[in-house]
Amino acid sequence: MRIFTLALIAATFAIGASAAPKDETPQYKTAEAKHFTTAEGVELSPAFVDYFYAELRNELTKAKLVKEVIGEGETVEDADAPRSLVISGTVTEFKKGSVVKSALIGFGAGFKSLKMDADVARRSDKQSLCVIHVHVKIDPRWNEKVMAKGAAHEMVKEMKKALAEASKTATADASKPS
Amino acid sequence: MPPRTLLRLSVLLLFVLFRMDSSVAILAADEPKPTPQNTISIEVGEPVPAQKFEHAPKFWIANVTDRSGNPQPLLVLKPRGGIFLDKQPTAIVKDALEQSLKAANLLAADEASADLVLRVYVFHFGLASGSGLDFFGKVEFSTMVKNPKTGESTEVKAAGTSIANGAVRKKNLQKNVEDNIENALRDATRNFLRGAQLKEAVVAWSKASEAQPAAAPASAEAEKPPSR
Protein backbone atom coordinates (compact mmCIF):
# COMPACT_ATOMS: atom_id res chain seq x y z
CA MET A 1 0.00 0.00 0.00
CA ARG A 2 2.82 2.36 0.97
CA ILE A 3 4.64 1.65 -2.27
CA PHE A 4 1.44 2.28 -4.19
CA THR A 5 0.97 5.66 -2.46
CA LEU A 6 4.56 6.66 -3.19
CA ALA A 7 4.17 5.61 -6.81
CA LEU A 8 0.96 7.62 -7.05
CA ILE A 9 2.65 10.74 -5.64
CA ALA A 10 5.61 10.29 -8.01
CA ALA A 11 3.24 9.86 -10.96
CA THR A 12 1.33 13.01 -9.99
CA PHE A 13 4.58 15.01 -9.85
CA ALA A 14 5.71 13.59 -13.16
CA ILE A 15 2.43 14.53 -14.84
CA GLY A 16 2.59 17.97 -13.24
CA ALA A 17 6.12 18.52 -14.48
CA SER A 18 5.26 17.49 -18.01
CA ALA A 19 2.11 19.64 -18.02
CA ALA A 20 3.93 22.72 -16.68
CA PRO A 21 4.09 25.49 -19.27
CA LYS A 22 7.43 25.64 -21.02
CA ASP A 23 9.28 28.92 -21.42
CA GLU A 24 8.76 29.11 -25.14
CA THR A 25 10.74 31.75 -26.96
CA PRO A 26 8.39 34.28 -28.58
CA GLN A 27 7.85 33.92 -32.29
CA TYR A 28 8.40 37.62 -32.93
CA LYS A 29 11.36 39.71 -31.91
CA THR A 30 9.93 43.20 -31.59
CA ALA A 31 6.54 44.88 -31.64
CA GLU A 32 5.97 48.58 -32.17
CA ALA A 33 2.66 49.89 -30.92
CA LYS A 34 1.57 53.15 -32.51
CA HIS A 35 -0.79 55.73 -31.02
CA PHE A 36 -4.28 54.84 -32.22
CA THR A 37 -6.16 57.41 -34.23
CA THR A 38 -9.77 58.36 -33.58
CA ALA A 39 -12.42 58.27 -36.27
CA GLU A 40 -14.47 61.36 -37.01
CA GLY A 41 -17.11 62.01 -34.38
CA VAL A 42 -15.36 60.06 -31.63
CA GLU A 43 -15.20 62.31 -28.57
CA LEU A 44 -12.24 61.01 -26.63
CA SER A 45 -9.51 63.08 -25.03
CA PRO A 46 -5.90 62.84 -26.29
CA ALA A 47 -5.06 61.61 -22.77
CA PHE A 48 -7.15 58.53 -23.45
CA VAL A 49 -5.14 57.71 -26.60
CA ASP A 50 -1.90 58.22 -24.65
CA TYR A 51 -3.04 56.00 -21.83
CA PHE A 52 -4.27 53.31 -24.20
CA TYR A 53 -0.88 53.34 -25.96
CA ALA A 54 0.87 52.82 -22.61
CA GLU A 55 -1.57 50.08 -21.60
CA LEU A 56 -1.21 48.27 -24.91
CA ARG A 57 2.57 48.23 -24.52
CA ASN A 58 2.20 47.06 -20.95
CA GLU A 59 -0.13 44.22 -21.96
CA LEU A 60 2.15 43.20 -24.84
CA THR A 61 5.06 42.96 -22.42
CA LYS A 62 2.99 40.95 -19.93
CA ALA A 63 1.69 38.56 -22.59
CA LYS A 64 5.25 37.74 -23.76
CA LEU A 65 4.01 37.81 -27.31
CA VAL A 66 7.29 39.33 -28.46
CA LYS A 67 10.82 39.54 -27.09
CA GLU A 68 10.84 43.31 -26.90
CA VAL A 69 8.16 45.98 -27.07
CA ILE A 70 9.63 49.10 -28.63
CA GLY A 71 8.37 52.67 -28.60
CA GLU A 72 6.70 54.48 -31.47
CA GLY A 73 9.14 55.56 -34.18
CA GLU A 74 12.06 53.44 -33.00
CA THR A 75 14.36 51.76 -35.46
CA VAL A 76 14.81 48.02 -35.79
CA GLU A 77 17.85 46.18 -37.15
CA ASP A 78 17.28 45.10 -40.76
CA ALA A 79 17.84 41.47 -39.83
CA ASP A 80 15.05 41.63 -37.24
CA ALA A 81 12.50 43.36 -39.48
CA PRO A 82 10.88 40.15 -40.85
CA ARG A 83 10.25 39.04 -37.27
CA SER A 84 8.93 42.38 -36.09
CA LEU A 85 5.38 43.62 -35.78
CA VAL A 86 3.82 47.03 -36.15
CA ILE A 87 0.45 47.54 -34.45
CA SER A 88 -1.70 50.43 -35.56
CA GLY A 89 -5.38 51.07 -35.20
CA THR A 90 -8.39 53.32 -34.95
CA VAL A 91 -11.04 53.98 -32.35
CA THR A 92 -14.13 53.64 -34.54
CA GLU A 93 -16.92 54.30 -32.04
CA PHE A 94 -17.34 55.64 -28.53
CA LYS A 95 -20.63 55.99 -26.67
CA LYS A 96 -20.61 57.90 -23.40
CA GLY A 97 -23.43 55.86 -21.91
CA SER A 98 -26.07 57.00 -19.47
CA VAL A 99 -25.97 56.66 -15.68
CA VAL A 100 -29.78 57.06 -15.48
CA LYS A 101 -30.44 54.28 -17.99
CA SER A 102 -27.89 52.06 -16.30
CA ALA A 103 -29.47 52.62 -12.87
CA LEU A 104 -33.11 52.33 -13.99
CA ILE A 105 -32.91 49.52 -16.55
CA GLY A 106 -29.71 47.67 -15.70
CA PHE A 107 -28.67 44.53 -17.65
CA GLY A 108 -25.97 46.46 -19.51
CA ALA A 109 -28.26 49.28 -20.68
CA GLY A 110 -26.59 52.71 -20.72
CA PHE A 111 -23.09 51.30 -20.51
CA LYS A 112 -20.11 53.16 -22.01
CA SER A 113 -19.12 51.45 -25.23
CA LEU A 114 -15.89 51.50 -27.20
CA LYS A 115 -15.12 49.88 -30.54
CA MET A 116 -11.61 49.67 -31.95
CA ASP A 117 -9.96 48.10 -34.97
CA ALA A 118 -6.29 47.15 -34.94
CA ASP A 119 -4.06 46.06 -37.76
CA VAL A 120 -1.01 43.93 -37.05
CA ALA A 121 1.52 44.08 -39.86
CA ARG A 122 4.96 42.64 -40.49
CA ARG A 123 7.57 45.38 -40.40
CA SER A 124 9.69 44.19 -43.33
CA ASP A 125 7.05 44.00 -46.07
CA LYS A 126 4.10 45.75 -44.33
CA GLN A 127 2.01 42.63 -44.91
CA SER A 128 -1.06 42.52 -42.70
CA LEU A 129 -0.92 39.48 -40.42
CA CYS A 130 -4.27 39.95 -38.73
CA VAL A 131 -7.02 42.49 -38.17
CA ILE A 132 -8.60 42.66 -34.74
CA HIS A 133 -11.93 44.15 -33.73
CA VAL A 134 -12.51 44.86 -30.06
CA HIS A 135 -15.73 45.95 -28.40
CA VAL A 136 -15.61 46.90 -24.71
CA LYS A 137 -18.50 47.94 -22.48
CA ILE A 138 -18.20 49.32 -18.96
CA ASP A 139 -20.38 50.98 -16.35
CA PRO A 140 -20.91 54.69 -17.19
CA ARG A 141 -19.73 55.73 -13.72
CA TRP A 142 -16.27 54.33 -14.33
CA ASN A 143 -13.31 56.32 -15.61
CA GLU A 144 -12.66 56.03 -19.36
CA LYS A 145 -9.09 54.97 -18.60
CA VAL A 146 -10.48 51.78 -17.04
CA MET A 147 -12.06 51.15 -20.41
CA ALA A 148 -8.65 51.63 -22.07
CA LYS A 149 -7.19 49.06 -19.71
CA GLY A 150 -9.90 46.54 -20.59
CA ALA A 151 -9.60 47.24 -24.31
CA ALA A 152 -5.82 46.79 -24.29
CA HIS A 153 -6.12 43.51 -22.41
CA GLU A 154 -8.80 42.22 -24.80
CA MET A 155 -6.83 43.33 -27.83
CA VAL A 156 -3.63 41.53 -26.83
CA LYS A 157 -5.63 38.38 -26.01
CA GLU A 158 -7.24 38.44 -29.45
CA MET A 159 -3.91 39.23 -31.09
CA LYS A 160 -2.24 36.27 -29.45
CA LYS A 161 -5.01 33.96 -30.70
CA ALA A 162 -5.00 35.38 -34.23
CA LEU A 163 -1.20 35.23 -34.58
CA ALA A 164 -1.12 31.65 -33.30
CA GLU A 165 -3.78 30.66 -35.85
CA ALA A 166 -1.97 32.50 -38.63
CA SER A 167 1.32 30.74 -37.83
CA LYS A 168 -0.47 27.35 -37.74
CA THR A 169 -2.01 28.01 -41.16
CA ALA A 170 1.37 29.10 -42.52
CA THR A 171 3.02 25.93 -41.19
CA ALA A 172 0.28 23.75 -42.68
CA ASP A 173 0.60 25.49 -46.06
CA ALA A 174 4.36 25.04 -46.02
CA SER A 175 4.10 21.31 -45.23
CA LYS A 176 1.58 20.65 -48.04
CA PRO A 177 3.12 18.89 -51.06
CA SER A 178 3.08 21.11 -54.11
CA MET B 1 -25.86 102.68 16.79
CA PRO B 2 -27.07 101.01 20.01
CA PRO B 3 -24.35 99.28 22.04
CA ARG B 4 -26.06 95.88 21.74
CA THR B 5 -25.95 95.98 17.91
CA LEU B 6 -22.34 97.11 18.05
CA LEU B 7 -21.50 94.19 20.29
CA ARG B 8 -23.26 91.73 17.97
CA LEU B 9 -21.45 93.12 14.94
CA SER B 10 -18.06 92.92 16.60
CA VAL B 11 -18.72 89.31 17.69
CA LEU B 12 -19.74 88.44 14.12
CA LEU B 13 -16.63 90.12 12.74
CA LEU B 14 -14.42 88.25 15.18
CA PHE B 15 -16.10 84.96 14.20
CA VAL B 16 -15.57 85.64 10.48
CA LEU B 17 -11.93 86.55 11.05
CA PHE B 18 -11.38 83.38 13.10
CA ARG B 19 -12.93 81.19 10.37
CA MET B 20 -10.81 82.81 7.66
CA ASP B 21 -7.67 82.32 9.70
CA SER B 22 -8.44 78.66 10.40
CA SER B 23 -9.25 77.93 6.73
CA VAL B 24 -5.93 79.48 5.68
CA ALA B 25 -4.21 77.33 8.30
CA ILE B 26 -5.95 74.19 6.96
CA LEU B 27 -4.92 75.04 3.39
CA ALA B 28 -1.34 75.56 4.53
CA ALA B 29 -1.39 72.21 6.34
CA ASP B 30 -2.66 70.45 3.17
CA GLU B 31 0.22 71.76 1.10
CA PRO B 32 2.93 69.07 1.29
CA LYS B 33 6.51 70.06 1.97
CA PRO B 34 9.64 68.24 0.81
CA THR B 35 11.43 66.24 3.48
CA PRO B 36 14.11 63.54 3.14
CA GLN B 37 11.38 60.95 3.79
CA ASN B 38 9.14 61.99 0.91
CA THR B 39 11.86 62.83 -1.63
CA ILE B 40 12.79 60.39 -4.36
CA SER B 41 15.82 60.30 -6.61
CA ILE B 42 15.27 59.45 -10.27
CA GLU B 43 18.17 57.89 -12.12
CA VAL B 44 18.14 56.09 -15.43
CA GLY B 45 20.46 53.39 -14.01
CA GLU B 46 22.32 51.53 -16.71
CA PRO B 47 22.91 53.67 -19.81
CA VAL B 48 20.40 53.13 -22.58
CA PRO B 49 22.07 51.61 -25.68
CA ALA B 50 21.93 53.95 -28.63
CA GLN B 51 21.38 52.94 -32.25
CA LYS B 52 24.39 52.37 -34.49
CA PHE B 53 25.19 55.08 -37.00
CA GLU B 54 27.30 54.62 -40.12
CA HIS B 55 29.10 57.88 -39.43
CA ALA B 56 28.72 58.50 -35.74
CA PRO B 57 28.51 62.19 -34.84
CA LYS B 58 29.39 63.81 -31.54
CA PHE B 59 26.46 65.38 -29.70
CA TRP B 60 26.43 68.18 -27.18
CA ILE B 61 23.46 69.06 -25.00
CA ALA B 62 23.43 72.85 -25.01
CA ASN B 63 20.45 73.30 -22.72
CA VAL B 64 17.33 71.64 -21.37
CA THR B 65 14.25 73.82 -20.93
CA ASP B 66 11.11 73.02 -18.97
CA ARG B 67 8.05 73.61 -21.14
CA SER B 68 5.59 71.63 -19.01
CA GLY B 69 3.99 74.71 -17.50
CA ASN B 70 3.93 72.93 -14.16
CA PRO B 71 4.24 75.47 -11.32
CA GLN B 72 5.65 72.81 -8.99
CA PRO B 73 7.90 70.61 -11.13
CA LEU B 74 9.42 68.89 -8.10
CA LEU B 75 6.05 67.75 -6.72
CA VAL B 76 5.21 64.40 -8.29
CA LEU B 77 2.24 63.33 -6.17
CA LYS B 78 0.22 65.63 -3.92
CA PRO B 79 -1.91 63.33 -1.74
CA ARG B 80 -0.67 61.53 1.36
CA GLY B 81 2.01 64.02 2.32
CA GLY B 82 3.32 64.36 -1.22
CA ILE B 83 6.22 62.85 -3.13
CA PHE B 84 8.99 65.18 -4.36
CA LEU B 85 11.89 64.87 -6.77
CA ASP B 86 15.37 65.68 -5.48
CA LYS B 87 16.35 67.46 -8.70
CA GLN B 88 14.61 69.51 -11.36
CA PRO B 89 13.19 67.37 -14.21
CA THR B 90 15.40 69.26 -16.67
CA ALA B 91 18.53 68.20 -14.74
CA ILE B 92 17.32 64.59 -14.57
CA VAL B 93 16.64 64.45 -18.33
CA LYS B 94 20.02 66.04 -19.09
CA ASP B 95 21.83 63.52 -16.87
CA ALA B 96 20.01 60.60 -18.48
CA LEU B 97 20.81 61.73 -22.02
CA GLU B 98 24.43 62.60 -21.25
CA GLN B 99 25.02 59.31 -19.49
CA SER B 100 23.67 57.27 -22.41
CA LEU B 101 25.46 59.36 -25.06
CA LYS B 102 28.72 59.06 -23.14
CA ALA B 103 28.36 55.27 -22.85
CA ALA B 104 27.85 55.05 -26.63
CA ASN B 105 30.85 57.34 -27.22
CA LEU B 106 28.59 59.92 -28.85
CA LEU B 107 29.13 62.80 -26.40
CA ALA B 108 31.44 65.64 -27.43
CA ALA B 109 33.89 67.16 -24.98
CA ASP B 110 32.47 70.65 -25.49
CA GLU B 111 30.08 72.59 -27.70
CA ALA B 112 32.81 73.76 -30.08
CA SER B 113 33.88 70.22 -30.96
CA ALA B 114 30.31 68.91 -31.33
CA ASP B 115 28.91 67.87 -34.71
CA LEU B 116 25.30 68.22 -33.59
CA VAL B 117 24.03 70.44 -30.79
CA LEU B 118 20.90 69.40 -28.90
CA ARG B 119 18.37 71.74 -27.33
CA VAL B 120 15.88 69.77 -25.27
CA TYR B 121 12.37 70.95 -24.31
CA VAL B 122 10.68 68.88 -21.60
CA PHE B 123 6.88 68.79 -22.03
CA HIS B 124 5.98 66.27 -19.37
CA PHE B 125 7.86 64.63 -16.55
CA GLY B 126 6.28 62.55 -13.82
CA LEU B 127 2.85 61.07 -13.36
CA ALA B 128 -0.07 61.62 -15.71
CA SER B 129 -3.74 60.94 -15.05
CA GLY B 130 -4.32 57.20 -15.08
CA SER B 131 -7.16 54.85 -14.36
CA GLY B 132 -6.96 55.46 -10.63
CA LEU B 133 -6.04 51.81 -10.05
CA ASP B 134 -2.40 52.31 -11.00
CA PHE B 135 0.28 54.92 -11.67
CA PHE B 136 0.82 56.18 -15.19
CA GLY B 137 4.32 57.55 -15.59
CA LYS B 138 5.04 59.71 -18.59
CA VAL B 139 8.14 61.53 -19.83
CA GLU B 140 7.86 63.52 -23.01
CA PHE B 141 10.39 65.84 -24.59
CA SER B 142 11.25 67.32 -27.93
CA THR B 143 14.78 68.01 -29.11
CA MET B 144 16.06 70.43 -31.70
CA VAL B 145 19.08 68.80 -33.31
CA LYS B 146 21.16 71.55 -34.87
CA ASN B 147 24.09 71.25 -37.21
CA PRO B 148 26.22 74.26 -36.12
CA LYS B 149 28.09 74.35 -39.44
CA THR B 150 25.08 74.57 -41.74
CA GLY B 151 22.62 75.99 -39.20
CA GLU B 152 20.03 73.37 -40.14
CA SER B 153 17.75 72.09 -37.36
CA THR B 154 15.62 68.98 -37.11
CA GLU B 155 13.01 68.25 -34.48
CA VAL B 156 13.19 64.87 -32.75
CA LYS B 157 10.31 63.91 -30.47
CA ALA B 158 10.60 61.32 -27.74
CA ALA B 159 8.10 59.90 -25.28
CA GLY B 160 8.26 57.25 -22.64
CA THR B 161 5.45 55.65 -20.68
CA SER B 162 5.22 53.22 -17.83
CA ILE B 163 2.38 51.73 -15.84
CA ALA B 164 2.96 50.56 -12.29
CA ASN B 165 0.67 49.10 -9.69
CA GLY B 166 -0.83 51.27 -7.01
CA ALA B 167 0.01 50.76 -3.35
CA VAL B 168 -1.59 51.26 0.05
CA ARG B 169 1.45 51.73 2.28
CA LYS B 170 3.29 55.03 1.89
CA LYS B 171 6.67 53.26 1.59
CA ASN B 172 5.44 51.03 -1.25
CA LEU B 173 3.67 53.94 -2.88
CA GLN B 174 6.89 55.94 -2.97
CA LYS B 175 8.86 52.98 -4.33
CA ASN B 176 6.30 52.28 -7.05
CA VAL B 177 6.22 55.93 -8.12
CA GLU B 178 10.02 56.04 -8.24
CA ASP B 179 10.25 52.85 -10.32
CA ASN B 180 7.48 54.05 -12.57
CA ILE B 181 9.09 57.40 -13.37
CA GLU B 182 12.49 55.75 -13.83
CA ASN B 183 11.01 53.31 -16.33
CA ALA B 184 9.26 56.12 -18.19
CA LEU B 185 12.51 58.13 -18.32
CA ARG B 186 14.43 55.08 -19.56
CA ASP B 187 11.75 54.50 -22.19
CA ALA B 188 11.86 58.13 -23.36
CA THR B 189 15.67 58.14 -23.52
CA ARG B 190 15.55 54.93 -25.52
CA ASN B 191 12.86 56.36 -27.78
CA PHE B 192 15.11 59.34 -28.49
CA LEU B 193 18.38 57.43 -28.98
CA ARG B 194 16.87 54.67 -31.10
CA GLY B 195 14.34 56.81 -32.94
CA ALA B 196 14.01 57.03 -36.70
CA GLN B 197 13.86 60.84 -36.43
CA LEU B 198 17.33 61.00 -34.86
CA LYS B 199 18.62 58.65 -37.54
CA GLU B 200 17.27 61.01 -40.22
CA ALA B 201 18.93 63.99 -38.52
CA VAL B 202 22.26 62.16 -38.40
CA VAL B 203 21.94 61.08 -42.05
CA ALA B 204 21.28 64.72 -43.02
CA TRP B 205 24.35 65.82 -41.04
CA SER B 206 26.43 63.07 -42.65
CA LYS B 207 25.37 64.15 -46.16
CA ALA B 208 26.08 67.80 -45.38
CA SER B 209 29.53 67.02 -43.97
CA GLU B 210 30.34 64.87 -47.00
CA ALA B 211 29.22 67.63 -49.36
CA GLN B 212 31.28 70.35 -47.63
CA PRO B 213 34.79 68.92 -48.21
CA ALA B 214 33.80 68.15 -51.80
CA ALA B 215 32.59 71.72 -52.27
CA ALA B 216 35.66 73.26 -50.64
CA PRO B 217 38.28 72.11 -53.22
CA ALA B 218 35.91 73.06 -56.03
CA SER B 219 35.57 76.59 -54.67
CA ALA B 220 39.33 76.77 -54.13
CA GLU B 221 39.88 75.85 -57.74
CA ALA B 222 37.37 78.47 -58.83
CA GLU B 223 39.24 81.11 -56.89
CA LYS B 224 42.54 80.27 -58.62
CA PRO B 225 43.63 82.80 -61.20
CA PRO B 226 43.37 81.40 -64.69
CA SER B 227 46.68 80.01 -65.90
CA ARG B 228 48.18 81.61 -69.00
Side-chain angles (χ1 to χ4, degrees), chain B residues 17 19 31 33 39 46 62 71 79 86 97 108-109 118 121-123 129 131 135 150 164 166 178 203 209:
Chain B
L17 280 174
R19 286 299 300 268
E31 203 60 43
K33 288 201 172 81
T39 304
E46 276 180 38
D86 63 341
L97 287 174
L118 310 177
Y121 300 94
V122 180
F123 293 118
S129 72
S131 65
F135 294 119
T150 59
E178 189 176 343
V203 167
S209 55

Side-chain angles (χ1 to χ4, degrees), chain B residues 7-64:
Chain B
L7 187 72
R8 276 181 187 165
L9 272 174
S10 53
V11 166
L12 190 73
L13 191 71
L14 271 173
F15 179 73
V16 168
L17 280 174
F18 173 75
R19 286 299 300 268
M20 273 177 70
D21 188 48
S22 59
S23 60
V24 166
I26 288 165
L27 278 176
D30 279 350
E31 203 60 43
K33 288 201 172 81
T35 60
Q37 284 77 39
N38 68 1
T39 304
I40 55 171
S41 178
I42 304 293
E43 277 160 18
V44 78
E46 276 180 38
V48 180
Q51 61 183 301
K52 284 166 191 155
F53 301 110
E54 266 183 53
H55 303 284
K58 292 282 183 191
F59 295 97
W60 178 256
I61 303 169
N63 56 7
V64 184

Side-chain angles (χ1 to χ4, degrees), chain B residues 103-147:
Chain B
N105 199 22
L106 294 172
L107 190 69
D110 53 16
E111 191 168 352
S113 64
D115 299 312
L116 292 168
V117 177
L118 310 177
R119 281 191 167 75
V120 185
Y121 300 94
V122 180
F123 293 118
H124 197 285
F125 189 97
L127 298 179
S129 72
S131 65
L133 307 167
D134 46 30
F135 294 119
F136 174 35
K138 190 174 152 189
V139 174
E140 198 176 348
F141 59 84
S142 179
T143 310
M144 291 308 292
V145 182
K146 190 178 178 183
N147 183 344

Side-chain angles (χ1 to χ4, degrees), chain A residues 49-92:
Chain A
V49 179
D50 252 8
Y51 186 75
F52 177 76
Y53 164 76
E55 266 300 340
L56 185 61
R57 290 184 63 196
N58 194 30
E59 288 292 335
L60 282 167
T61 313
K62 270 193 216 167
K64 292 178 184 170
L65 190 67
V66 290
K67 255 188 179 176
E68 197 180 18
V69 180
I70 60 170
E72 189 171 6
E74 281 180 31
T75 53
V76 171
E77 302 263 327
D78 290 344
D80 297 336
R83 288 174 62 213
S84 297
L85 305 172
V86 179
I87 304 156
S88 55
T90 314
V91 180
T92 51

Side-chain angles (χ1 to χ4, degrees), chain A residues 2-82:
Chain A
R2 199 175 285 170
I3 294 166
F4 176 72
T5 316
L6 280 173
L8 194 71
I9 292 167
T12 316
F13 272 106
I15 291 166
S18 63
K22 289 169 196 167
D23 278 341
E24 283 176 24
T25 49
Q27 195 187 347
Y28 294 98
K29 199 144 191 193
T30 68
E32 179 192 349
K34 290 190 179 287
H35 277 81
F36 277 36
T37 53
T38 49
E40 211 177 337
V42 173
E43 289 175 16
L44 277 167
S45 60
F48 173 87
V49 179
D50 252 8
Y51 186 75
F52 177 76
Y53 164 76
E55 266 300 340
L56 185 61
R57 290 184 63 196
N58 194 30
E59 288 292 335
L60 282 167
T61 313
K62 270 193 216 167
K64 292 178 184 170
L65 190 67
V66 290
K67 255 188 179 176
E68 197 180 18
V69 180
I70 60 170
E72 189 171 6
E74 281 180 31
T75 53
V76 171
E77 302 263 327
D78 290 344
D80 297 336

